Amino acid sequence: MTRHTRLVMSMIYWAFVLYIFVPLILMITMGFKDSKFIGFPIRSWTLDWYVEVFKDSEVLSAFGYSMLIGVSSTLISLVVGIWIAVLLNGRGFIGKGLIYGLTLLPALIPGIISAISFRIYAQLWGIPPGTGAIIWCHAVHNVPFVMLIVAARLSTLPKSHLDAAQDLGADPIIAFLRVTLPYLRPALIGGGIFCMLISFDDFVRSFFLGGYQPTLPVLIFAKLRSGMSPEINAIATVVLVLTGLLGIWAERTTRRMKQGKLQS
Amino acid sequence: MSGKVQTSAATLAGERGAGNRTGEREGRSFWGAIAASQLYQTFSNALLSSPRRQFVILLAFPVLWVLTQHLGPMLQMFYVSFVDAYPVSRGYEQQFTFDNYARFFGSAIFVMPFFRTLAFAATLTLATLVLTYPVAYFLARHVKRSNQMVFLLLLLIPFWVGEIVRTYAIMILLGNNGAVNLALKWLGLIDRPIPFMYTGFSLSVGIIYLSALYMLLPLYSALEKLPRSYTEAAADLGAGPWTRFWKVTLPLSLEGISSGATLVFLISTGYYATPVLLGGPSTTVFAETIAGFFHTAGDEWPTGAAFACLMFVTALAISLAFGRLMTRLQKGVRK
């Protein structure tokens, strides 16, 4: 490849990086503006909006609520996702492909359709809109991601490990708990954080399945509809920093796992 | 690795009291005690008596889960789309009907957003492909393998920030007092701000911003797998850069294009908050139409369900047709 094309390609890459980052950087900057009015130019700077955020009980409770939903739904997704991955990693059976396809289904259904189908389904089971319904919908939505990440790790588990355990008298349950599960650890950390982030960021499902208590994205949406304010920028910046850092960590864990750098 | 096997072997042996002393101490304490306990023995005997029974237990839960949790909501929605009332009030007899579907075809305010959404999603998928292909190519072919992860991570960070936050960032970028207008004014290109917001343009920028990753990652992994020797061989045989791209690189990355495009297309038909915040009356998408039936006090869920089914089935059919086309193209390449 010639030098010339290489240069053009790298310029396109950096332009793309700018496209991705500039809006976020502008949004962060606006959170330090000493005025109620969103827009450039910024003449004086302040940290007041951050103080405001940490005093705003509505924001804090929405944050806690989103965390609660994220953790609970992630735990469910992990159990189900591991179970399905173990099944699919095992011996062949009729309908294996179908189970695989159906497992991936929630990841392919467009957001709005997923949200309202669960709204209707919750009605069928008599589950009122609110915490339970959101956790349930988030858990189902995240199962495919857990399954894929766990299955990728599971496929690299040497069969000799499990054989050794069986030879030494471990039954399948003990072998799973003491050999398979520890081996899956990087996949569980990575997958778990992904689920947490997807759940924490989710708007459309929480919006249609929520009760009176808003999750953080739903609260930000409601605030946005009544007008932009630098306080929203401050909230968004806090969310951005937290999710960004967690995302990097999870991404690193799973990528290194796939490259085989992480041994159990 | 082998050391690991040996240590775990020792502890596992300890469980069943095989006489290894270190194992005895470690294993007996927790796992050994559990494995030896009467309760666990009864439990495991009942569950694991035969390989067949083990498999049935392993199989039963996932089958039950995917049928009731993954397929169930869709089937229920499909069913509701054919009834005249849902949720049913007490004493009311539910009737089977096609009216919910008939309502769609009867009115332009429903048909327009439907086709607008599909056209929008298709255009944006193409735009995302054109935008991200060079980026993925650069990452996979020009960046040193050891640096690729850092370069990729740089792009991934913002994608972990949710739909709402990123949509808001676009609002600040494109607003009348936004950065773009400010920059244009500063350059002396405009006198008064260009109203970017609440148009098809702002919505497109927002949706591409949200879904670029779903295109970038499949493209990157397809291009990364492609051996460099292929293009080198083509070059040796006298092919110029364009020929190499059209005849070698592009055909061999069809798989990545296919899965990326399918994902972006399906996902971008489902955005709800972004069109509400970035779009205007002239850009109403079908997601907003569907959502409308679930906001109103009146009992219009069946209509909403019917519209959602129409959307999903159409989007899925288009994706499948596209997938088939791509597979056919790929087969043509292999010949």
Side-chain angles (χ1 to χ4, degrees), chain B residues 41-92:
Chain B
Q41 291 288 332
T42 330
F43 171 71
S44 68
N45 283 344
L47 286 181
L48 311 170
S49 57
S50 73
R52 196 187 157 79
R53 178 174 283 196
Q54 285 174 23
F55 183 71
V56 168
I57 289 167
L58 180 65
L59 181 73
F61 175 70
V63 169
L64 211 65
W65 175 275
V66 294
L67 289 182
T68 60
Q69 308 303 313
H70 294 189
L71 201 58
M74 298 309 278
L75 291 179
Q76 172 68 6
M77 185 172 79
F78 190 62
Y79 166 76
V80 167
S81 74
F82 286 106
V83 297
D84 65 339
Y86 194 90
V88 194
S89 43
R90 206 162 280 185
Y92 183 81

Side-chain angles (χ1 to χ4, degrees), chain A residues 48 111 128 160 193:
Chain A
D48 287 356
S160 56
I193 295 171

Side-chain angles (χ1 to χ4, degrees), chain A:
Chain A
M1 204 41 85
T2 59
R3 247 172 212 201
H4 181 67
T5 40
R6 199 194 146 88
L7 185 73
V8 173
M9 298 295 259
S10 80
M11 276 166 63
I12 295 177
Y13 171 82
W14 289 109
F16 188 72
V17 171
L18 278 183
Y19 172 56
I20 297 296
F21 276 91
V22 164
L24 294 174
I25 292 167
L26 291 174
M27 187 191 72
I28 294 172
T29 320
M30 200 64 83
F32 296 101
K33 184 184 180 182
D34 190 10
S35 154
K36 262 196 142 118
F37 178 67
I38 288 278
F40 291 95
I42 299 175
R43 294 212 168 75
S44 62
W45 304 80
T46 179
L47 279 173
D48 287 356
W49 298 110
Y50 284 84
V51 180
E52 202 87 344
V53 167
F54 288 101
K55 277 196 291 192
D56 191 333
S57 64
E58 212 183 8
V59 172
L60 294 180
S61 82
F63 185 84
Y65 188 57
S66 286
M67 290 292 281
L68 168 82
I69 288 170
V71 172
S72 329
S73 64
T74 299
L75 290 176
I76 301 172
S77 310
L78 282 177
V79 172
V80 179
I82 294 171
W83 197 320
I84 299 180
V86 169
L87 172 74
L88 293 177
N89 191 56
R91 68 177 170 102
F93 55 91
I94 300 164
K96 192 174 181 178
L98 189 67
I99 301 276
Y100 181 76
L102 282 176
T103 306
L104 294 184
L105 184 68
L108 292 173
I109 298 173
I112 180 79
I113 293 173
S114 155
I116 64 142
S117 69
F118 261 90
R119 182 72 191 83
I120 295 171
Y121 204 52
Q123 185 75 34
L124 176 75
W125 292 100
I127 297 167
T131 318
I134 303 179
I135 292 176
W136 179 37
C137 184
H138 284 187
V140 172
H141 179 247
N142 286 338
V143 164
F145 304 109
V146 176
M147 188 277 282
L148 286 175
I149 295 173
V150 170
R153 177 75 179 166
L154 211 50
S155 65
T156 65
L157 171 69
K159 211 178 166 295
S160 56
H161 282 32
L162 287 177
D163 289 344
Q166 305 249 306
D167 288 348
L168 292 161
D171 64 37
I173 296 178
I174 300 272
F176 172 76
L177 291 174
R178 302 205 61 194
V179 178
T180 313
L181 215 51
Y183 187 79
L184 288 179
R185 214 184 63 169
L188 299 185
I189 295 173
I193 295 171
F194 283 144
C195 290
M196 282 278 298
L197 291 180
I198 297 173
S199 162
F200 192 84
D201 289 338
D202 174 72
F203 168 77
V204 72
R205 294 174 187 83
S206 311
F207 185 67
F208 282 97
L209 289 163
Y212 293 105
Q213 163 78 335
T215 64
L216 196 58
V218 173
L219 182 72
I220 299 177
F221 180 78
K223 279 181 182 283
L224 273 180
R225 294 215 81 176
S226 59
M228 288 152 85
S229 134
E231 195 204 343
I232 304 176
N233 292 64
I235 305 171
T237 305
V238 175
V239 173
L240 190 147
V241 170
L242 283 178
T243 49
L245 289 177
L246 273 176
I248 294 176
W249 187 40
E251 190 68 39
R252 263 182 71 95
T253 317
T254 47
R255 292 216 168 248
R256 280 171 58 187
M257 169 192 104
K258 276 184 198 150
Q259 287 167 8
K261 281 183 193 160
L262 276 184
Q263 295 297 338
S264 65

